[in-house]
mmCIF file with all atom_site columns, all heavy atoms in Angstrom:
data_model
loop_
_atom_site.group_PDB
_atom_site.id
_atom_site.type_symbol
_atom_site.label_atom_id
_atom_site.label_alt_id
_atom_site.label_comp_id
_atom_site.label_asym_id
_atom_site.label_entity_id
_atom_site.label_seq_id
_atom_site.pdbx_PDB_ins_code
_atom_site.Cartn_x
_atom_site.Cartn_y
_atom_site.Cartn_z
_atom_site.occupancy
_atom_site.B_iso_or_equiv
_atom_site.pdbx_formal_charge
_atom_site.auth_seq_id
_atom_site.auth_comp_id
_atom_site.auth_asym_id
_atom_site.auth_atom_id
_atom_site.pdbx_PDB_model_num
ATOM 1   N N   . LEU B 1 78 ? -26.285 8.557  6.105   1.00 0.00 ? 78 LEU B N   1
ATOM 2   C CA  . LEU B 1 78 ? -26.141 7.792  7.343   1.00 0.00 ? 78 LEU B CA  1
ATOM 3   C C   . LEU B 1 78 ? -27.476 7.392  7.895   1.00 0.00 ? 78 LEU B C   1
ATOM 4   O O   . LEU B 1 78 ? -28.217 8.308  8.249   1.00 0.00 ? 78 LEU B O   1
ATOM 5   C CB  . LEU B 1 78 ? -25.299 8.684  8.371   1.00 0.00 ? 78 LEU B CB  1
ATOM 6   C CG  . LEU B 1 78 ? -23.877 8.990  8.165   1.00 0.00 ? 78 LEU B CG  1
ATOM 7   C CD1 . LEU B 1 78 ? -23.388 10.149 9.095   1.00 0.00 ? 78 LEU B CD1 1
ATOM 8   C CD2 . LEU B 1 78 ? -23.107 7.677  8.516   1.00 0.00 ? 78 LEU B CD2 1
ATOM 9   N N   . GLU B 1 79 ? -27.679 6.207  8.009   1.00 0.00 ? 79 GLU B N   1
ATOM 10  C CA  . GLU B 1 79 ? -28.962 5.741  8.474   1.00 0.00 ? 79 GLU B CA  1
ATOM 11  C C   . GLU B 1 79 ? -29.376 6.100  9.923   1.00 0.00 ? 79 GLU B C   1
ATOM 12  O O   . GLU B 1 79 ? -30.492 6.488  10.284  1.00 0.00 ? 79 GLU B O   1
ATOM 13  C CB  . GLU B 1 79 ? -29.075 4.186  8.340   1.00 0.00 ? 79 GLU B CB  1
ATOM 14  C CG  . GLU B 1 79 ? -29.215 3.788  6.886   1.00 0.00 ? 79 GLU B CG  1
ATOM 15  C CD  . GLU B 1 79 ? -30.483 4.224  6.145   1.00 0.00 ? 79 GLU B CD  1
ATOM 16  O OE1 . GLU B 1 79 ? -31.531 4.444  6.766   1.00 0.00 ? 79 GLU B OE1 1
ATOM 17  O OE2 . GLU B 1 79 ? -30.371 4.412  4.843   1.00 0.00 ? 79 GLU B OE2 1
ATOM 18  N N   . SER B 1 80 ? -28.227 6.063  10.780  1.00 0.00 ? 80 SER B N   1
ATOM 19  C CA  . SER B 1 80 ? -28.443 6.382  12.191  1.00 0.00 ? 80 SER B CA  1
ATOM 20  C C   . SER B 1 80 ? -27.178 6.938  12.700  1.00 0.00 ? 80 SER B C   1
ATOM 21  O O   . SER B 1 80 ? -26.132 6.278  13.012  1.00 0.00 ? 80 SER B O   1
ATOM 22  C CB  . SER B 1 80 ? -28.738 5.115  13.035  1.00 0.00 ? 80 SER B CB  1
ATOM 23  O OG  . SER B 1 80 ? -28.927 5.311  14.378  1.00 0.00 ? 80 SER B OG  1
ATOM 24  N N   . ALA B 1 81 ? -27.208 8.313  12.808  1.00 0.00 ? 81 ALA B N   1
ATOM 25  C CA  . ALA B 1 81 ? -25.996 9.112  13.093  1.00 0.00 ? 81 ALA B CA  1
ATOM 26  C C   . ALA B 1 81 ? -25.600 8.843  14.609  1.00 0.00 ? 81 ALA B C   1
ATOM 27  O O   . ALA B 1 81 ? -26.360 8.722  15.527  1.00 0.00 ? 81 ALA B O   1
ATOM 28  C CB  . ALA B 1 81 ? -26.197 10.596 12.914  1.00 0.00 ? 81 ALA B CB  1
ATOM 29  N N   . ARG B 1 82 ? -24.274 8.705  14.782  1.00 0.00 ? 82 ARG B N   1
ATOM 30  C CA  . ARG B 1 82 ? -23.658 8.614  16.141  1.00 0.00 ? 82 ARG B CA  1
ATOM 31  C C   . ARG B 1 82 ? -22.584 9.680  16.440  1.00 0.00 ? 82 ARG B C   1
ATOM 32  O O   . ARG B 1 82 ? -22.038 10.233 15.359  1.00 0.00 ? 82 ARG B O   1
ATOM 33  C CB  . ARG B 1 82 ? -23.069 7.172  16.309  1.00 0.00 ? 82 ARG B CB  1
ATOM 34  C CG  . ARG B 1 82 ? -24.059 6.072  16.261  1.00 0.00 ? 82 ARG B CG  1
ATOM 35  C CD  . ARG B 1 82 ? -23.593 4.911  17.088  1.00 0.00 ? 82 ARG B CD  1
ATOM 36  N NE  . ARG B 1 82 ? -22.236 4.397  16.633  1.00 0.00 ? 82 ARG B NE  1
ATOM 37  C CZ  . ARG B 1 82 ? -22.090 3.341  15.711  1.00 0.00 ? 82 ARG B CZ  1
ATOM 38  N NH1 . ARG B 1 82 ? -23.220 2.814  15.280  1.00 0.00 ? 82 ARG B NH1 1
ATOM 39  N NH2 . ARG B 1 82 ? -21.025 2.998  15.336  1.00 0.00 ? 82 ARG B NH2 1
ATOM 40  N N   . PRO B 1 83 ? -22.265 10.015 17.585  1.00 0.00 ? 83 PRO B N   1
ATOM 41  C CA  . PRO B 1 83 ? -21.259 10.971 17.858  1.00 0.00 ? 83 PRO B CA  1
ATOM 42  C C   . PRO B 1 83 ? -19.916 10.664 17.164  1.00 0.00 ? 83 PRO B C   1
ATOM 43  O O   . PRO B 1 83 ? -19.163 11.484 16.821  1.00 0.00 ? 83 PRO B O   1
ATOM 44  C CB  . PRO B 1 83 ? -21.117 10.983 19.400  1.00 0.00 ? 83 PRO B CB  1
ATOM 45  C CG  . PRO B 1 83 ? -22.503 10.568 19.865  1.00 0.00 ? 83 PRO B CG  1
ATOM 46  C CD  . PRO B 1 83 ? -22.981 9.570  18.943  1.00 0.00 ? 83 PRO B CD  1
ATOM 47  N N   . SER B 1 84 ? -19.707 9.418  16.965  1.00 0.00 ? 84 SER B N   1
ATOM 48  C CA  . SER B 1 84 ? -18.304 9.023  16.306  1.00 0.00 ? 84 SER B CA  1
ATOM 49  C C   . SER B 1 84 ? -18.374 9.461  14.825  1.00 0.00 ? 84 SER B C   1
ATOM 50  O O   . SER B 1 84 ? -17.319 9.398  14.153  1.00 0.00 ? 84 SER B O   1
ATOM 51  C CB  . SER B 1 84 ? -18.149 7.541  16.402  1.00 0.00 ? 84 SER B CB  1
ATOM 52  O OG  . SER B 1 84 ? -19.245 6.759  15.817  1.00 0.00 ? 84 SER B OG  1
ATOM 53  N N   . HIS B 1 85 ? -19.483 9.735  14.298  1.00 0.00 ? 85 HIS B N   1
ATOM 54  C CA  . HIS B 1 85 ? -19.558 10.305 12.909  1.00 0.00 ? 85 HIS B CA  1
ATOM 55  C C   . HIS B 1 85 ? -19.261 11.754 12.699  1.00 0.00 ? 85 HIS B C   1
ATOM 56  O O   . HIS B 1 85 ? -19.199 12.283 11.685  1.00 0.00 ? 85 HIS B O   1
ATOM 57  C CB  . HIS B 1 85 ? -20.988 9.965  12.354  1.00 0.00 ? 85 HIS B CB  1
ATOM 58  C CG  . HIS B 1 85 ? -21.349 8.537  12.188  1.00 0.00 ? 85 HIS B CG  1
ATOM 59  N ND1 . HIS B 1 85 ? -22.617 8.116  12.563  1.00 0.00 ? 85 HIS B ND1 1
ATOM 60  C CD2 . HIS B 1 85 ? -20.645 7.589  11.839  1.00 0.00 ? 85 HIS B CD2 1
ATOM 61  C CE1 . HIS B 1 85 ? -22.662 6.754  12.335  1.00 0.00 ? 85 HIS B CE1 1
ATOM 62  N NE2 . HIS B 1 85 ? -21.489 6.374  11.930  1.00 0.00 ? 85 HIS B NE2 1
ATOM 63  N N   . THR B 1 86 ? -19.020 12.427 13.894  1.00 0.00 ? 86 THR B N   1
ATOM 64  C CA  . THR B 1 86 ? -18.716 13.835 13.924  1.00 0.00 ? 86 THR B CA  1
ATOM 65  C C   . THR B 1 86 ? -17.397 13.955 13.101  1.00 0.00 ? 86 THR B C   1
ATOM 66  O O   . THR B 1 86 ? -16.339 13.363 13.480  1.00 0.00 ? 86 THR B O   1
ATOM 67  C CB  . THR B 1 86 ? -18.519 14.341 15.284  1.00 0.00 ? 86 THR B CB  1
ATOM 68  O OG1 . THR B 1 86 ? -19.889 14.330 15.895  1.00 0.00 ? 86 THR B OG1 1
ATOM 69  C CG2 . THR B 1 86 ? -18.027 15.805 15.197  1.00 0.00 ? 86 THR B CG2 1
ATOM 70  N N   . SER B 1 87 ? -17.419 14.680 12.051  1.00 0.00 ? 87 SER B N   1
ATOM 71  C CA  . SER B 1 87 ? -16.217 14.932 11.189  1.00 0.00 ? 87 SER B CA  1
ATOM 72  C C   . SER B 1 87 ? -16.599 15.813 10.052  1.00 0.00 ? 87 SER B C   1
ATOM 73  O O   . SER B 1 87 ? -17.614 16.415 9.949   1.00 0.00 ? 87 SER B O   1
ATOM 74  C CB  . SER B 1 87 ? -15.810 13.530 10.519  1.00 0.00 ? 87 SER B CB  1
ATOM 75  O OG  . SER B 1 87 ? -14.581 13.591 9.929   1.00 0.00 ? 87 SER B OG  1
ATOM 76  N N   . GLN B 1 88 ? -15.597 16.162 9.203   1.00 0.00 ? 88 GLN B N   1
ATOM 77  C CA  . GLN B 1 88 ? -15.844 16.802 7.978   1.00 0.00 ? 88 GLN B CA  1
ATOM 78  C C   . GLN B 1 88 ? -15.793 15.798 6.925   1.00 0.00 ? 88 GLN B C   1
ATOM 79  O O   . GLN B 1 88 ? -14.964 14.924 6.769   1.00 0.00 ? 88 GLN B O   1
ATOM 80  C CB  . GLN B 1 88 ? -14.702 17.892 7.674   1.00 0.00 ? 88 GLN B CB  1
ATOM 81  C CG  . GLN B 1 88 ? -14.919 18.551 6.304   1.00 0.00 ? 88 GLN B CG  1
ATOM 82  C CD  . GLN B 1 88 ? -14.362 19.835 6.180   1.00 0.00 ? 88 GLN B CD  1
ATOM 83  O OE1 . GLN B 1 88 ? -15.116 20.872 6.289   1.00 0.00 ? 88 GLN B OE1 1
ATOM 84  N NE2 . GLN B 1 88 ? -13.064 20.016 5.980   1.00 0.00 ? 88 GLN B NE2 1
ATOM 85  N N   . TYR B 1 89 ? -16.836 15.985 5.976   1.00 0.00 ? 89 TYR B N   1
ATOM 86  C CA  . TYR B 1 89 ? -16.953 15.057 4.781   1.00 0.00 ? 89 TYR B CA  1
ATOM 87  C C   . TYR B 1 89 ? -16.728 15.801 3.584   1.00 0.00 ? 89 TYR B C   1
ATOM 88  O O   . TYR B 1 89 ? -17.393 16.780 3.242   1.00 0.00 ? 89 TYR B O   1
ATOM 89  C CB  . TYR B 1 89 ? -18.294 14.415 4.822   1.00 0.00 ? 89 TYR B CB  1
ATOM 90  C CG  . TYR B 1 89 ? -18.538 13.461 6.033   1.00 0.00 ? 89 TYR B CG  1
ATOM 91  C CD1 . TYR B 1 89 ? -18.917 14.041 7.261   1.00 0.00 ? 89 TYR B CD1 1
ATOM 92  C CD2 . TYR B 1 89 ? -18.233 12.056 5.881   1.00 0.00 ? 89 TYR B CD2 1
ATOM 93  C CE1 . TYR B 1 89 ? -19.048 13.167 8.334   1.00 0.00 ? 89 TYR B CE1 1
ATOM 94  C CE2 . TYR B 1 89 ? -18.387 11.262 7.000   1.00 0.00 ? 89 TYR B CE2 1
ATOM 95  C CZ  . TYR B 1 89 ? -18.763 11.784 8.181   1.00 0.00 ? 89 TYR B CZ  1
ATOM 96  O OH  . TYR B 1 89 ? -18.923 10.911 9.258   1.00 0.00 ? 89 TYR B OH  1
ATOM 97  N N   . LEU B 1 90 ? -15.765 15.327 2.682   1.00 0.00 ? 90 LEU B N   1
ATOM 98  C CA  . LEU B 1 90 ? -15.400 15.992 1.473   1.00 0.00 ? 90 LEU B CA  1
ATOM 99  C C   . LEU B 1 90 ? -15.790 15.174 0.334   1.00 0.00 ? 90 LEU B C   1
ATOM 100 O O   . LEU B 1 90 ? -15.467 13.975 0.294   1.00 0.00 ? 90 LEU B O   1
ATOM 101 C CB  . LEU B 1 90 ? -13.876 16.286 1.402   1.00 0.00 ? 90 LEU B CB  1
ATOM 102 C CG  . LEU B 1 90 ? -13.309 17.258 2.399   1.00 0.00 ? 90 LEU B CG  1
ATOM 103 C CD1 . LEU B 1 90 ? -11.798 17.279 2.256   1.00 0.00 ? 90 LEU B CD1 1
ATOM 104 C CD2 . LEU B 1 90 ? -13.989 18.625 2.314   1.00 0.00 ? 90 LEU B CD2 1
ATOM 105 N N   . CYS B 1 91 ? -16.464 15.819 -0.627  1.00 0.00 ? 91 CYS B N   1
ATOM 106 C CA  . CYS B 1 91 ? -16.740 15.195 -1.913  1.00 0.00 ? 91 CYS B CA  1
ATOM 107 C C   . CYS B 1 91 ? -15.833 15.568 -3.049  1.00 0.00 ? 91 CYS B C   1
ATOM 108 O O   . CYS B 1 91 ? -15.311 16.835 -3.083  1.00 0.00 ? 91 CYS B O   1
ATOM 109 C CB  . CYS B 1 91 ? -18.125 15.510 -2.348  1.00 0.00 ? 91 CYS B CB  1
ATOM 110 S SG  . CYS B 1 91 ? -18.787 14.627 -3.794  1.00 0.00 ? 91 CYS B SG  1
ATOM 111 N N   . ALA B 1 92 ? -15.440 14.726 -3.878  1.00 0.00 ? 92 ALA B N   1
ATOM 112 C CA  . ALA B 1 92 ? -14.528 15.102 -4.973  1.00 0.00 ? 92 ALA B CA  1
ATOM 113 C C   . ALA B 1 92 ? -14.863 14.385 -6.301  1.00 0.00 ? 92 ALA B C   1
ATOM 114 O O   . ALA B 1 92 ? -15.624 13.443 -6.264  1.00 0.00 ? 92 ALA B O   1
ATOM 115 C CB  . ALA B 1 92 ? -13.096 14.787 -4.668  1.00 0.00 ? 92 ALA B CB  1
ATOM 116 N N   . SER B 1 93 ? -14.439 14.958 -7.406  1.00 0.00 ? 93 SER B N   1
ATOM 117 C CA  . SER B 1 93 ? -14.753 14.358 -8.644  1.00 0.00 ? 93 SER B CA  1
ATOM 118 C C   . SER B 1 93 ? -13.457 14.430 -9.467  1.00 0.00 ? 93 SER B C   1
ATOM 119 O O   . SER B 1 93 ? -12.633 15.275 -9.276  1.00 0.00 ? 93 SER B O   1
ATOM 120 C CB  . SER B 1 93 ? -15.942 14.859 -9.416  1.00 0.00 ? 93 SER B CB  1
ATOM 121 O OG  . SER B 1 93 ? -15.653 16.191 -9.871  1.00 0.00 ? 93 SER B OG  1
ATOM 122 N N   . SER B 1 94 ? -13.364 13.595 -10.542 1.00 0.00 ? 94 SER B N   1
ATOM 123 C CA  . SER B 1 94 ? -12.132 13.572 -11.438 1.00 0.00 ? 94 SER B CA  1
ATOM 124 C C   . SER B 1 94 ? -12.489 13.150 -12.778 1.00 0.00 ? 94 SER B C   1
ATOM 125 O O   . SER B 1 94 ? -13.417 12.316 -12.949 1.00 0.00 ? 94 SER B O   1
ATOM 126 C CB  . SER B 1 94 ? -11.033 12.859 -10.785 1.00 0.00 ? 94 SER B CB  1
ATOM 127 O OG  . SER B 1 94 ? -11.228 11.468 -10.923 1.00 0.00 ? 94 SER B OG  1
#
Side-chain angles (χ1 to χ4, degrees):
Chain B
L78 282 169
E79 291 293 333
S80 179
R82 296 210 298 265
S84 61
H85 295 140
T86 294
S87 188
Q88 172 153 262
Y89 293 84
L90 294 177
C91 182
S93 71
S94 70

